[in-house]
Amino acid sequence: MQKVHAYLKKEYPRFLEELKEYVSLASVSASGDKKQMQKCAEWLLAHCRKIGLSATLYPTAGNPVLVATTKGSAAKKLHYIVYGHYDVQPPEPLELWKTPPFTPTIRGGKIFARGSSDNKGQHFAHLKAVEAYIKTYTPLPCDISFVIEGEEEVGSSNLSFFLKKNKKMLAADGVVISDTNMPSLKTPAITYALRGIAAFEITLRGPDRDVHSGSYGGSIENPALALAHLLATLRDKKTGKILVSGFYDGVCALSAKERKAMHEDDAGDAERYRAFLKVPCLFGEKGFSHIEHTTIRPTIEINGLTSGYQGIGSKTIVPSLAHAKITMRLVPHQEPQKVIAAVRKHLTTHCPTTVTMEIKNGHGAEPYFFEPTSAAVSAAERAIKRVFGAQPRFIREGGSIPVVTDFKKILGVHSLLIGLALPDDNAHSPNEKFELANFKRGMALGAELWQELVL
Ligand code: BES
Ligand code: ZN
């Protein structure tokens, strides 16, 4: 192992240059720029081959999936999958970035770029750890296949088909994912629950074109106002409770013991949390803390809301339509399809007859939970303790990684969620960054983990 760690140390300057190259590729899945996605996938393919992995790009109905493996034909060792995603969130609004999103910049021990933390930097650390084994001729105690996809940020809808089709090749003893958070630089974590998600878009239409608000305003419904009213019926503005009938069906209550454990360190400091987000005060469903609001309670969010004139100055019109992009975060044991059906019914009942409504279903993912008591979890705990010098905390998180339930259903294995991101990494926000300290520790962790996971 000494050779592996010495290699990681010696080659670090090159690794950093490579990571810079990787994050300079604008692989934004939401905007559907196939050429950019392909370019990024091909960069990754070439890189995996260069470090000694046997790598293939598999086309899908969407963006290609990369599989890069250490597995030879005589493989008899345990086989683990390392999952990651090379797609990134849209960088807009661009004017809020201190340095351009796809021009990686190092400042104060952090690399700033879209995708640096979510998720390129994190899975790149695992790739480098395996490179260190290969290039120092250190035998790996297990076989490892990297599955790195290009559609996580848009719901991974083509990945389950890919897993089903390649079930034999991907048969594995476990999955390792670094695409979650740790509470702070000092506190590593193992995440044992993620929220699920259900997405849809709604459009209300009035006149078949924008019309003069002086000539026609008052005689017809304003679609933007109608949408504002309609969306406002979804949630009680005081209690924060979602008012869709059946929405909370199946939501499981947590034991007092687990709820208490969630608040044990200073992550429970609501004032610090408020100040970090720079809001006048926190909001949330009555009876729950901000930690619970973001982990064990379901939500409904408007992610985008558009209507009418968006240019400079004023334009006196009644807009032809109003549009919203909406997602709901789901917790055990809510089902995306049932929740969507309940919300559709609510909106249909509450929509006024003065406009027409169209609802388009989007992606969905089930919530994820596993008891963090397996031998694999203990193995990860030992490796984390060795590298971080601290015991990991066991946490629930509010984000979603759609493929984790597919890994369980299709391959029959759980995912070890060992995040290297920090809550202030600005994932999905302007000025995303990744701590270089975590890049280094992520590589060391990648190296140590395989020693422990020989169960
Ligand atoms: N890295 C996140 C998932 C995450 C975020 C886990 C925070 C734990 C805490 C991932 O890249 C992500 O953003 N996923 C999307 C999935 C969605 C588009 C289906 C998400 O959660 O919005
Ligand atoms: Zn993300």
Side-chain angles (χ1 to χ4, degrees):
M1 282 309 285
Q2 229 176 346
K3 273 195 298 181
V4 169
H5 288 294
Y7 181 90
L8 290 174
K9 206 165 165 198
K10 185 167 144 272
E11 300 294 326
Y12 175 71
R14 170 171 62 85
F15 296 164
L16 191 53
E17 287 311 306
E18 290 168 348
L19 177 59
K20 275 171 139 176
E21 235 181 81
Y22 190 20
V23 293
S24 70
L25 301 167
S27 46
V28 180
S29 49
S31 53
D33 188 338
K34 292 252 170 219
K35 243 179 151 171
Q36 290 294 330
M37 298 308 295
Q38 187 70 27
K39 196 174 151 198
C40 185
E42 279 170 16
W43 184 92
L44 197 57
L45 173 73
H47 193 82
C48 288
R49 287 183 176 160
K50 200 165 77 187
I51 68 178
L53 293 167
S54 158
T56 313
L57 269 189
Y58 293 87
T60 71
N63 299 321
V65 177
L66 172 108
V67 178
T69 187
T70 62
K71 220 158 78 170
S73 51
K76 271 278 171 286
K77 295 188 266 189
L78 289 180
H79 178 216
Y80 288 98
I81 289 174
V82 177
Y83 165 84
H85 59 94
Y86 64 84
D87 66 322
V88 303
Q89 284 275 323
E92 287 81 6
L94 296 176
E95 65 278 11
L96 293 185
W97 285 78
K98 290 201 182 99
T99 47
F102 298 108
T103 308
T105 314
I106 309 236
R107 293 194 297 272
K110 309 164 205 308
I111 175 168
F112 286 83
R114 172 55 91 228
S116 55
S117 170
D118 184 7
N119 167 255
K120 288 173 175 171
Q122 295 195 62
H123 63 256
F124 202 63
H126 284 283
L127 276 169
K128 295 291 109 179
V130 171
E131 172 185 333
Y133 275 94
I134 298 173
K135 297 292 183 189
T136 59
Y137 304 99
T138 308
L140 263 162
C142 39
D143 281 312
I144 297 156
S145 296
F146 288 86
V147 174
I148 303 178
E149 67 148 325
E151 295 186 303
E152 196 271 352
E153 299 291 10
V154 289
S156 299
S157 47
N158 292 302
L159 199 58
S160 39
F161 179 69
F162 174 80
L163 294 184
K164 278 180 202 142
K165 211 171 136 200
N166 296 285
K167 207 172 145 177
K168 223 167 140 191
M169 166 177 83
L170 296 171
D173 299 283
V175 179
V176 171
I177 305 179
S178 291
D179 192 24
T180 46
N181 290 327
M182 45 192 274
S184 75
L185 269 178
K186 278 188 269 174
T187 319
I190 294 177
T191 298
Y192 64 92
L194 291 170
R195 285 195 285 190
I197 198 164
F200 69 92
E201 300 195 12
I202 176 170
T203 309
L204 296 191
R205 288 178 214 279
D208 70 348
R209 62 212 177 267
D210 294 353
V211 294
H212 196 298
S213 63
S215 306
Y216 304 101
S219 71
I220 50 172
E221 178 63 281
N222 180 307
L225 264 170
L227 185 62
H229 278 296
L230 181 59
L231 296 181
T233 66
L234 289 169
R235 197 182 71 181
D236 186 289
K237 69 177 180 214
K238 282 218 180 80
T239 63
K241 205 167 155 56
I242 290 152
L243 300 172
V244 174
S245 159
F247 184 83
Y248 290 98
D249 286 1
V251 169
C252 71
L254 261 65
S255 69
K257 193 174 154 210
E258 192 178 347
R259 286 183 72 179
K260 187 161 171 267
M262 291 173 85
H263 300 90
E264 256 159 20
D265 72 356
D266 61 0
D269 183 338
E271 172 47 29
R272 255 229 329 253
Y273 183 73
R274 184 206 64 75
F276 165 64
L277 291 168
K278 297 192 172 67
V279 289
C281 67
L282 294 179
F283 174 81
E285 200 188 347
K286 270 217 160 71
F288 298 94
S289 72
H290 71 278
I291 298 180
E292 292 170 326
H293 291 145
T294 54
T295 55
I296 62 165
R297 298 302 294 168
T299 64
I300 188 155
E301 303 289 347
I302 300 174
N303 309 125
L305 189 57
T306 44
S307 180
Y309 178 63
Q310 308 282 324
I312 296 168
S314 106
K315 186 183 183 200
T316 45
I317 50 160
V318 175
S320 166
L321 56 85
H323 183 78
K325 292 176 188 283
I326 297 180
T327 51
M328 294 164 283
R329 293 285 170 179
L330 311 178
V331 299
H333 302 280
Q334 285 176 302
E335 290 174 35
Q337 287 317 319
K338 279 195 186 156
V339 172
I340 285 272
V343 173
R344 252 180 193 272
K345 195 167 158 207
H346 176 100
L347 293 169
T348 309
T349 319
H350 288 79
C351 184
T353 51
T354 47
V355 285
T356 56
M357 181 177 75
E358 187 194 348
I359 296 176
K360 257 207 280 185
N361 281 7
H363 55 80
E366 284 168 41
Y368 186 60
F369 170 86
F370 67 94
E371 284 299 341
T373 48
S374 64
V377 169
S378 309
E381 232 181 314
R382 289 193 296 276
I384 290 171
K385 205 168 161 213
R386 209 148 58 232
V387 171
F388 287 80
Q391 197 69 35
R393 280 197 64 197
F394 288 92
I395 60 172
R396 287 178 183 253
E397 287 199 87
S400 314
I401 304 177
V403 72
V404 288
T405 50
D406 287 329
F407 281 137
K408 184 71 186 75
K409 280 188 199 158
I410 300 165
L411 304 181
V413 284
H414 272 302
S415 297
L416 257 180
L417 303 170
I418 315 174
L420 299 169
L422 291 182
D424 70 354
D425 272 356
N426 294 325
H428 299 204
S429 292
N431 303 304
E432 178 176 348
K433 56 93 174 156
F434 187 44
E435 297 285 338
L436 295 178
N438 273 4
F439 182 39
K440 286 184 193 161
R441 296 193 295 185
M443 292 191 260
L445 179 66
E448 290 296 322
L449 196 59
W450 309 123
Q451 297 294 323
E452 294 294 344
L453 274 175
V454 193
L455 303 171

